[in-house]
Amino acid sequence: MAKYIIKRVAYMFISLFLIASFTFVLMKLLPGSPLASAEKLSVEQREVIYEKYGLNDPIPVQYVRYMGNLAKGDFGVSFQFKKADVTTLIVSKLKYSMILGAQALVFGTIVGIVLGMIAALKQNTIWDYGSTVIAILGVSIPSFVFAVMLQYVFAVHWEFFDVGLWNSWKSSVLPSIALAMGPIAIAARFIRTEMIEVLSSDYIMLAKAKGASWLEIAFKHAFRNALIPLITVLGPVAAGLLTGSLVVEQIFAIPGIGEQFVKSINSNDFAVIMGTTMFFSVFLIVIILIVDILYGIIDPRIRLSGGGK
Amino acid sequence: MEKIIEVKDLELSFHTFAGEVKAIRGVNFEVFKGETLAIVGESGSGKSVTTKAIMRLLPESSTEFKNGQILFDGKDLLKTSDKDMQKVRGKEISMIFQDPMTSLNPTMPIGKQIMEPLLKHQKLSKEEARRKSIELLSLVGMPQPEQRMKQYPHQFSGGQRQRIVIAVALACNPKLLIADEPTTALDVTIQAQILELMKDLQKKIETSIIFITHDLGVVANVADRVAVMYGGQIVEFGTVDEIFYNPQHPYTWGLLSSMPSLDTTEEKLYAIPGSPPDLLDPPKGDAFALRSEYAMKIDMEEKPPLFKVSDTHYAATWLLHPDAPKVDPPAAIVERMKKFPGSRYYEGSAGGGR
Amino acid sequence: MSNDVKNFPKDAFDRITVDGKHAEKISKPSLNFWQDAWLRIRKNKGAIVSMFILIFLVVMAFVGPYMVPHDPENVRVSHANLPPKVPGLEKLGIFDGEGKLGSKTVNLYELKKVEEYYWFGTDSLGRDLFSRLWKGTQVSLYIAFVAAIIDMIIGVIYGGISGYYGGRVDDIMQRVVEVLIGIPTLVIVILMIMIMEPGIWSIIIAITITGWIGMSRIVRGQVLKFKNQEFVLAAKTLGASDSRIIGKHLLPNIMAIVIINIMFTIPTAIFFEAFLSFIGLGLQAPHASLGTLINDGYKFIQYQPHILFFPAFILSLLMIAFNLIGDGLRDALDPKMKD
């Protein structure tokens, strides 16, 4: 197991190194300058700023400096927000994204599991069809369409909730629900298929033959076995949700990372774009690693046979 | 002898996309206390379905019980409520399945799986159940039972897993144990061990066994009586000796002839021609007639009743009708029959005769 | 169990010879893989209805813009912000051209003295939303299909080579994939879009740059599974060349799973296009796609919700149809589900 983790961590660093390099190259290819939209600057002032941020150095020099800083955890300084270093900026925005993401993840997973369980246990009944329809809608309808619909119905039309901005916990309800549709659909579909497969397995037949009741079979035997593989599916979803949603945050004007990212794109704020990209990547890779390790811990078949997959 | 279970005129169908599959078409048998009844037949003959019907383990949505009764302890299991059925399963009747690799829950320690029926049916405390489980494990010949309680199924070999499944099945001293091809998925050497274990345990706890198999070698080893199934019906039943040495049904002849034996002189192994009947549209008369070289006109018209051969031996073939022509079974069968007192080819044992 | 001896006509017990072939006769007609799959997908109502919906949407995407006498890109400011008005339906009190002006509900067509009918109304520049909607659908479908096909080609080749040759080649190719998988797709798509000129092809390139990975992994898995099976080994021992084994033995077997996967990559591509356009990185005006139309509509959600409604509805319908067809195909083609 330890060998496996070390190997995975090594790959993780290679991935991150390549992503950082790739992002750097893309940034240098990017047309436009971060100062284009800024205040009207004279050529001299512009030169001063370029000099200060090292933008006049040869590109290899900039690259080495950037990578060096990254290794120290320094993502650079935002051009847009004066004096704000990117790390601080991301951390300050992270809170909102994390709250939304965590709420959506918990709510979505629970609802999805319940729907999937009902569908599998009451196969081919109205319950099954109902939950399948919800799952299909959740998979199919893009989150931003759903967010806009929620906003129109519950905030514009009925005014139950705020249209946008972060005022209190109430502001997080609509965006969280919009974000939860994904995990609901994924969990419901996955749990349904897994449960049906598990329920038709020999050991469920044996459990029945032992005299176990319907509830014991569903929860003691089938549920756990269906739940374990769900972790692998939900891992990347969790990473995406916790790092903020670009559009849903924009629609509801939530001051999170996603909204910040879109803003930086529109203002060519290199440092923030690169910093955020790196942050997203680290988050995703680390979560996937954690999920794989977790899976090994929870599933006795993997845990005790010693190796990875 | 005391009857443990009696299956009467059982008829059931499965509803599938293709139509109604008449899987069981009138099956009658009983199992007496302490005996082992083997049900033999090829795949699709309905032997597994019959036993799953006893346990009511068939999928409710697609199974239709058309007729019959399954009498156990004076009550009809087909009319028992789901809740009462749970009290029968695992306590009065328990079951061993074919594939030990898949019949244990992979994410539950085996100790817990053995304790489950004990906690449920015998209302033991956790500690008592644990002690009983350890006892059971050593009873089925598992070394170091205490340590192994906490281990998961994948840490055991196929034979060991089948021992665990047997321990689960025997946990509550059931009156009837149904073993659905318990040795088919195992290596030959392990097969013998498991069979020995089952015979041994049967004596210890005095349970009756229904043993399903397609392996006649196993039958000879374990069974007291044998029922031969074909196309959803029992075509012949009798004691082991009667079935092996005085078979009457052409299908039983075919089964016995296709059994490899060391002292056979023929080079080619006999195979029954053709394939099992399509139960979506079962043949009108004798289901086996289409594959039989002994077919008669009447086989195409009418289903044969069970003809009595002896008090314990019945066979459903028109060949036993008094009007039927006398035919000679295959040579290998005649050889067997020569050794059986009461058969028409009996030559008597060393020096004796009738 | 009775032994009552019934009397039968004498000849009833005559021996007959049963034709051996009789017992061997196959009662069901033999079906090839695709016929069998078709029989099963036909029973899936959702997939069949979706297929009809999809055909309708594709036809409309090409015919729709010509059904009305308005050009999808023609700006007529005097006809701006009109609500839907459909001849016939207007008498029923719906689609009659009434809309909000400030807080009052008035018939905007009469107010602005517009004679023509705009079935789905107009946008803020007076462009006809009906023809724009179908033009946009056409563009979205085009992007999605091209992206899916490119994904498939790259994915099948990459995954196929990696799986078939195995060993060192596979090792290196899989390390590359492992690195690429660590990159958040959305971020890479956005970065790619930013460095390219906005347009249909930049969107396609951005979508396909990481899109093929999923397909390649699936194809590799399938190839690995099949290449060691007996029928392939048999072909090898008979001296079949690599290209013959790939073409005759492997491809037909992985085809089903490739098709299923395409059915799921198309909606993903549709989603990415709409998403990019929605955050302002997609097509530029006056071109329309479902994403840009939704973005336009979103700006006027408060007073003109219909501008948003139609493209959002069509987008969702497309996504649902593709997903249901994909599900149906998977159930029909996946032999694991067969019983």
Side-chain angles (χ1 to χ4, degrees):
Chain A
M1 196 76 183
K3 207 176 136 197
Y4 169 73
I5 294 175
I6 291 167
K7 203 176 107 190
R8 285 292 304 269
V9 171
Y11 275 126
M12 189 179 97
F13 279 106
I14 297 173
S15 294
L16 288 177
F17 172 76
L18 288 173
I19 293 167
S21 312
F22 186 56
T23 322
F24 182 83
V25 173
L26 284 184
M27 286 299 111
K28 289 296 142 190
L29 287 173
L30 207 65
S33 135
L35 302 180
S37 58
E39 316 90 279
K40 290 193 180 67
L41 299 165
S42 68
V43 180
E44 292 78 30
Q45 282 170 310
R46 194 172 290 243
E47 274 307 307
V48 171
I49 292 170
Y50 272 40
E51 196 58 47
K52 185 177 154 206
Y53 291 115
L55 293 175
N56 283 337
D57 294 340
I59 287 183
V61 176
Q62 290 186 33
Y63 173 70
V64 172
R65 185 169 54 224
Y66 180 75
M67 296 303 273
N69 285 341
L70 267 189
K72 285 181 268 169
D74 176 6
F75 289 109
V77 179
S78 166
F79 299 112
Q80 194 185 11
F81 305 91
K82 301 227 165 52
K83 293 186 202 92
D85 73 284
V86 175
T87 316
T88 325
L89 188 68
I90 291 175
V91 170
S92 73
K93 301 279 179 182
L94 190 58
K95 178 187 145 199
Y96 302 104
S97 295
M98 285 260 183
I99 292 176
L100 286 192
Q103 283 180 175
L105 187 64
V106 172
F107 173 71
T109 310
I110 292 172
V111 173
I113 290 174
V114 171
L115 283 177
M117 287 276 285
I118 293 173
L121 293 173
K122 305 256 169 200
Q123 216 185 331
N124 297 328
T125 61
I126 193 89
W127 293 96
D128 184 14
Y129 300 135
S131 98
T132 307
V133 166
I134 293 176
I136 280 284
L137 291 183
V139 171
S140 306
I141 300 181
S143 60
F144 61 91
V145 171
F146 198 70
V148 166
M149 271 162 36
L150 283 178
Q151 190 181 39
Y152 180 72
V153 175
F154 293 103
V156 178
H157 196 76
W158 282 335
E159 299 178 357
F160 287 159
F161 294 99
D162 304 337
V163 175
L165 292 176
W166 187 282
N167 299 317
S168 63
W169 176 76
K170 211 178 153 192
S171 320
S172 75
V173 173
L174 288 183
S176 296
I177 294 176
L179 288 174
M181 280 310 279
I184 287 179
I186 293 170
R189 277 162 75 109
F190 193 83
I191 287 285
R192 179 179 182 273
T193 337
E194 281 293 310
M195 278 292 279
I196 289 175
E197 203 178 315
V198 169
L199 284 174
S200 67
S201 64
D202 285 358
Y203 60 85
I204 293 297
M205 183 82 94
L206 185 72
K208 251 187 233 170
K210 280 194 247 178
S213 69
W214 185 82
L215 277 177
E216 282 170 324
I217 287 167
F219 288 94
K220 257 165 83 184
H221 290 277
F223 184 51
R224 189 181 147 97
N225 290 298
L227 202 58
I228 291 171
L230 180 68
I231 298 169
T232 47
V233 187
L234 279 185
V237 177
L241 282 176
L242 294 174
T243 49
S245 151
L246 306 188
V247 268
V248 172
E249 283 183 11
Q250 211 191 3
I251 288 170
F252 290 97
I254 301 292
I257 297 189
E259 198 228 12
Q260 177 60 46
F261 190 63
V262 177
K263 251 190 219 158
S264 322
I265 290 170
N266 292 331
S267 57
N268 283 340
D269 196 340
F270 294 160
V272 178
I273 298 175
M274 289 174 73
T276 316
T277 306
M278 282 312 293
F279 173 75
F280 282 160
S281 308
V282 173
F283 210 91
L284 180 70
I285 292 175
V286 170
I287 290 239
I288 291 176
L289 179 65
I290 291 174
V291 163
D292 283 353
I293 295 171
L294 206 65
Y295 192 70
I297 292 173
I298 296 177
D299 193 329
R301 281 164 296 189
I302 298 174
R303 184 204 319 168
L304 293 148
S305 55
K309 286 188 260 181
Chain B
M1 265 194 287
E2 190 192 335
K3 269 184 201 167
I4 292 290
I5 192 163
E6 185 173 8
V7 175
K8 277 186 178 169
D9 300 323
L10 184 67
E11 246 176 86
L12 71 85
S13 291
F14 294 121
H15 294 281
T16 67
F17 275 133
E20 183 188 335
V21 177
K22 300 178 191 73
I24 303 293
R25 306 186 294 141
V27 160
N28 289 286
F29 65 86
E30 66 273 289
V31 180
F32 297 105
K33 195 175 163 134
E35 75 161 351
T36 300
L37 172 74
I39 302 182
V40 197
E42 55 197 349
S43 336
S45 59
K47 50 195 194 318
S48 251
V49 174
T50 309
T51 51
K52 283 190 177 135
I54 295 175
M55 288 291 262
R56 290 259 306 275
L57 286 176
L58 296 166
E60 271 166 40
S61 52
S62 58
T63 314
E64 188 195 343
F65 287 97
K66 307 196 86 154
N67 195 6
Q69 287 176 308
I70 297 175
L71 295 174
F72 178 81
D73 248 4
K75 58 184 180 219
D76 183 358
L77 292 184
L78 294 182
K79 294 197 176 70
T80 308
S81 73
D82 282 350
K83 228 173 152 200
D84 290 338
M85 206 54 219
Q86 282 167 21
K87 288 179 198 142
V88 173
R89 291 185 197 130
K91 187 181 178 199
E92 314 273 357
I93 310 178
S94 53
M95 198 156 176
I96 302 171
F97 293 97
Q98 178 171 359
D99 189 356
M101 304 314 267
T102 56
S103 51
L104 290 168
N105 187 339
T107 60
M108 199 186 261
I110 59 121
K112 217 173 154 191
Q113 299 191 48
I114 303 174
M115 281 159 67
E116 219 178 8
L118 292 168
L119 294 169
K120 174 133 185 129
H121 298 301
Q122 304 204 324
K123 309 272 180 281
L124 298 182
S125 73
K126 269 230 161 111
E127 190 41 46
E128 287 170 321
R130 215 182 74 84
R131 243 180 296 129
K132 180 89 203 277
S133 304
I134 296 171
E135 247 171 63
L136 280 164
L137 275 178
S138 46
L139 188 69
V140 297
M142 182 74 68
Q144 300 172 299
E146 209 138 337
Q147 285 90 310
R148 306 224 81 172
M149 287 281 285
K150 282 188 229 69
Q151 297 188 323
Y152 290 89
H154 70 268
Q155 292 165 286
F156 296 85
S157 70
Q160 285 175 321
R161 288 192 211 188
Q162 200 62 303
R163 285 171 194 265
I164 296 166
V165 174
I166 292 172
V168 171
L170 298 181
C172 301
N173 297 329
K175 289 185 185 147
L176 176 64
L177 176 66
I178 298 173
D180 187 352
E181 309 215 17
T183 57
T184 309
L186 301 173
D187 289 344
V188 185
T189 45
I190 310 291
Q191 268 188 20
Q193 291 175 14
I194 295 289
L195 288 177
E196 279 312 307
L197 174 70
M198 287 184 67
K199 281 201 312 204
D200 201 37
L201 291 175
Q202 183 180 24
K203 270 184 223 132
K204 275 189 197 152
I205 65 168
E206 293 182 330
T207 176
S208 309
I209 298 180
I210 297 180
F211 200 105
I212 301 175
T213 182
H214 58 253
D215 186 344
L216 285 169
V218 170
V219 173
N221 199 350
V222 297
D224 299 313
R225 289 192 307 132
V226 182
V228 180
M229 273 194 92
Y230 183 79
Q233 290 164 327
I234 289 183
V235 293
E236 180 163 8
F237 69 88
T239 64
V240 171
D241 287 345
E242 283 164 341
I243 297 294
F244 273 80
Y245 294 106
N246 190 24
Q248 298 299 322
H249 198 282
Y251 177 64
T252 317
W253 294 346
L255 274 185
L256 287 167
S257 310
S258 54
M259 203 165 82
S261 98
L262 279 178
D263 47 56
T264 181
T265 46
E266 284 166 78
E267 283 181 11
K268 208 169 146 235
L269 196 58
Y270 175 77
I272 302 174
S275 49
D278 181 4
L279 293 178
L280 272 172
D281 180 23
K284 198 163 104 195
D286 185 344
F288 187 63
L290 290 176
R291 297 167 74 184
S292 168
E293 47 187 299
Y294 304 98
M296 295 175 293
K297 246 186 196 167
I298 191 164
D299 283 329
M300 301 295 158
E301 305 296 325
E302 199 146 347
K303 189 179 139 180
L306 279 166
F307 288 96
K308 183 173 172 177
V309 181
S310 76
D311 283 343
T312 50
H313 187 184
Y314 290 81
T317 170
W318 284 119
L319 290 175
L320 292 174
H321 192 274
D323 292 346
K326 294 281 165 269
V327 295
D328 283 330
I333 303 296
V334 174
E335 281 305 309
R336 286 169 173 275
M337 287 165 107
K338 284 179 183 165
K339 295 172 197 152
F340 188 79
S343 87
R344 56 191 158 105
Y345 296 99
Y346 183 58
E347 289 174 345
S349 54
R354 275 200 289 181
Chain C
M1 228 176 273
S2 73
N3 259 9
D4 303 337
V5 178
K6 266 205 277 174
N7 285 316
F8 291 100
K10 267 265 170 287
D11 67 335
F13 292 95
D14 287 356
R15 290 277 294 274
I16 51 170
T17 323
V18 181
D19 186 2
K21 282 178 216 141
H22 210 61
E24 292 281 18
K25 87 169 170 181
I26 310 232
S27 45
K28 275 180 265 180
S30 101
L31 296 173
N32 73 24
F33 182 72
W34 296 105
Q35 286 168 325
D36 194 35
W38 168 241
L39 278 183
R40 261 173 293 143
I41 200 168
R42 229 174 36 184
K43 290 197 182 105
N44 187 330
K45 284 181 212 112
I48 293 299
V49 171
S50 300
M51 234 179 265
F52 280 114
I53 291 176
L54 191 63
I55 292 170
F56 171 74
L57 290 177
V58 172
V59 169
M60 280 306 284
F62 288 93
V63 178
Y66 305 102
M67 285 170 68
V68 287
H70 310 292
D71 184 86
E73 292 176 9
N74 194 13
V75 175
R76 264 174 101 178
V77 183
S78 60
H79 287 189
N81 292 329
L82 287 171
K85 188 178 178 189
V86 183
L89 289 181
E90 58 183 332
K91 295 194 186 72
L92 299 171
I94 48 165
F95 292 107
D96 54 1
E98 275 183 6
K100 275 190 199 147
L101 189 70
S103 56
K104 281 180 292 183
T105 302
V106 290
N107 192 320
L108 292 164
Y109 281 72
E110 283 161 26
L111 199 75
K112 295 192 178 178
K113 299 197 176 55
V114 179
E115 294 295 319
E116 291 113 311
Y117 286 90
Y118 289 100
W119 294 353
F120 286 179
T122 58
D123 66 7
S124 58
L125 294 171
R127 289 179 293 211
D128 173 44
L129 283 176
F130 185 83
S131 54
R132 269 183 90 66
L133 174 67
W134 297 115
K135 191 78 195 167
T137 310
Q138 190 184 331
V139 170
S140 290
L141 281 173
Y142 177 75
I143 291 174
F145 274 108
V146 174
I149 287 169
I150 296 177
D151 276 357
M152 180 195 77
I153 293 171
I154 302 177
V156 168
I157 293 175
Y158 194 96
I161 292 174
S162 180
Y164 189 73
Y165 291 102
R168 214 148 172 75
V169 181
D170 183 41
D171 245 16
I172 294 168
M173 291 176 90
Q174 286 316 299
R175 291 300 87 76
V176 173
V177 165
E178 251 167 61
V179 169
L180 288 175
I181 273 211
I183 311 175
T185 316
L186 214 56
V187 172
I188 214 74
V189 169
I190 290 171
L191 293 179
M192 289 303 295
I193 281 278
M194 284 173 67
I195 62 164
M196 290 183 289
E197 290 285 308
I200 290 179
W201 277 97
S202 350
I203 296 179
I204 292 175
I205 292 171
I207 293 174
T208 48
I209 198 131
T210 54
W212 57 271
I213 294 176
M215 180 70 92
S216 84
R217 296 183 109 194
I218 287 168
V219 170
R220 173 175 174 269
Q222 289 287 308
V223 170
L224 281 180
K225 187 178 113 192
F226 283 116
K227 81 167 181 183
N228 287 325
Q229 282 188 5
E230 277 77 2
F231 67 94
V232 175
L233 295 179
K236 260 189 199 157
T237 41
L238 291 174
S241 64
D242 276 3
S243 59
R244 191 182 159 79
I245 289 173
I246 293 172
K248 286 270 169 193
H249 295 287
L250 294 179
L251 272 184
N253 278 299
I254 61 172
M255 229 31 229
I257 218 140
V258 167
I259 289 172
I260 293 167
N261 206 40
I262 289 178
M263 280 299 148
F264 291 112
T265 41
I266 291 176
T268 314
I270 294 177
F271 166 78
F272 269 127
E273 183 280 320
F275 171 83
L276 288 171
S277 300
F278 188 77
I279 60 170
L281 286 172
L283 291 182
Q284 305 298 314
H287 300 294
S289 74
L290 289 175
T292 57
L293 290 173
I294 292 173
N295 193 12
D296 288 348
Y298 180 58
K299 292 174 191 147
F300 299 95
I301 186 173
Q302 200 136 10
Y303 301 106
Q304 308 267 316
H306 69 271
I307 303 184
L308 173 74
F309 174 77
F310 293 114
F313 178 73
I314 296 295
L315 176 67
S316 305
L317 207 57
L318 268 181
M319 302 279 289
I320 293 169
F322 273 112
N323 274 311
L324 283 177
I325 295 174
D327 278 358
L329 277 176
R330 185 178 50 200
D331 293 351
L333 297 180
D334 194 345
K336 234 176 79 181
M337 312 278 285
K338 207 174 187 170
D339 61 330

